Amino acid sequence: MKNMKRYFGLFLFTLLSCIYAQGAVPSVKVYQNQIPVLAGKDMNRALVIEIIPADGTPFTLEEITIGLRDNDNLEDIRSVRVFRSSKRLLYEPVAPYGSRMKPASEVTFTGRITCAGNDKINLWVFLEMNEAIDLRNKYTVECLAVKTLEGEAKIVPVHPKRELRPGVIVRDKGDDGVHTYRIPGIVTTNEGTLLAIYDVRYDSNRDLQGHMDIGLSRSTDKGLTWEPMKIIMDRGRWGGLPEKFNG
């Protein structure tokens, strides 16, 4: 009888432990904005993974698996990286999660992070793209699995699976000593030439008044490469005032 009571107690303890562990498995939300991935850029945001405790129960993250299974050309991607951020909506890096990985149909990142019951884990997934990519290609990135010490979490995509399109940086902050480029526009001529125009804001990103001109960039190979910037509208000085007061 004593043995039966002992075995029954052990069985009950094991059962309750399993129930507790099952209830402690966190949930996962995956966010994906449809923004282009840029050639030559090492931090193209692809996914944001939010891991949420179950009923305020602490958990320990062990690994995540990212899928790149429906891509036109994995050779366009130089590497995949994951960083932990203190926030979901704003990237504030805390530390890298796992190592920089070469692209494959499935890529697994490992590392233990213990999360308090009143906190969340936010992981940002980035693609590092090669300089020479085919702008006609498309890329898909998915979160396939999130495993914790308590069990595998259920993944809930907030957005439907989306295709990411590649892009080229025509003008970047700091190019040619310019503080900011803003208000872009683009047209295609009858000959297929691309003409991109934009504000050239030399000193700050603010609107008028300020020293700013209108710039033009030209591409004759469907956007793969761009000629040096030309200033096509410059108000210059007027009324004896410097350009920063004239626009």
Side-chain angles (χ1 to χ4, degrees):
M1 180 65 70
K2 289 183 180 180
N3 286 337
M4 289 183 63
K5 288 183 179 180
R6 185 178 66 183
Y7 289 136
F8 177 76
L10 180 61
F11 170 76
L12 182 61
F13 173 79
T14 303
L15 179 62
L16 290 175
S17 298
C18 291
I19 293 173
Y20 175 80
Q22 185 177 9
V25 175
S27 60
V28 176
K29 291 184 178 179
V30 179
Y31 301 83
Q32 184 179 53
N33 294 326
Q34 199 162 17
I35 55 179
V37 291
L38 301 176
K41 187 177 180 182
D42 61 350
M43 298 287 277
N44 290 286
R45 185 181 70 186
L47 295 176
V48 177
I49 302 169
E50 183 182 42
I51 310 173
I52 307 164
D55 301 322
T57 304
F59 67 91
T60 299
L61 174 65
E62 292 197 307
E63 66 177 50
I64 66 169
T65 300
I66 303 300
L68 305 170
R69 296 181 294 191
D70 299 323
N71 289 284
D72 289 337
N73 191 351
L74 284 180
E75 293 181 359
D76 288 349
I77 303 172
R78 184 177 300 164
S79 69
V80 186
R81 306 176 72 184
V82 178
F83 285 83
R84 186 180 182 186
S85 172
S86 59
K87 296 181 180 180
R88 177 180 66 82
L89 295 176
L90 181 65
Y91 179 56
E92 293 186 351
V94 175
Y97 181 72
S99 303
R100 184 195 302 255
M101 303 292 289
K102 293 183 178 180
S105 59
E106 294 186 8
V107 182
T108 297
F109 295 83
T110 60
R112 282 200 170 187
I113 301 177
T114 298
C115 181
N118 60 350
D119 201 359
K120 300 176 182 178
I121 295 177
N122 300 298
L123 299 177
W124 288 49
V125 181
F126 295 96
L127 300 182
E128 180 183 12
M129 305 300 293
N130 287 313
E131 289 283 354
I133 61 177
D134 190 335
L135 296 180
R136 296 169 296 182
N137 286 343
K138 302 174 184 178
Y139 317 96
T140 59
V141 185
E142 302 174 84
C143 180
L144 300 179
V146 174
K147 295 182 180 179
T148 71
L149 194 62
E150 295 73 24
E152 185 164 343
K154 180 181 179 181
I155 298 173
V156 179
V158 176
H159 304 115
K161 185 170 70 171
R162 292 169 169 172
E163 293 180 331
L164 302 178
R165 299 298 299 266
V168 173
I169 300 174
V170 179
R171 293 273 92 192
D172 202 1
K173 181 180 176 72
D175 285 353
D176 293 322
V178 175
H179 185 282
T180 301
Y181 298 89
R182 291 193 61 190
I183 322 299
I186 191 167
V187 296
T188 305
T189 68
N190 292 335
E191 292 76 25
T193 299
L194 298 178
L195 301 176
I197 60 170
Y198 37 81
D199 281 4
V200 182
R201 303 190 177 191
Y202 293 99
D203 300 325
S204 73
N205 62 2
R206 60 171 289 180
D207 295 327
L208 294 172
Q209 297 288 10
H211 182 195
M212 58 188 72
D213 297 329
I214 302 299
L216 169 73
S217 293
R218 181 173 178 268
S219 173
T220 57
D221 57 7
K222 299 182 179 180
L224 289 176
T225 61
W226 293 80
E227 297 175 0
M229 174 182 69
K230 295 180 180 179
I231 299 299
I232 60 172
M233 184 181 294
D234 185 345
R235 292 288 299 275
R237 298 174 63 90
W238 183 83
L241 296 175
E243 288 184 284
K244 67 179 182 179
F245 295 126
N246 191 36

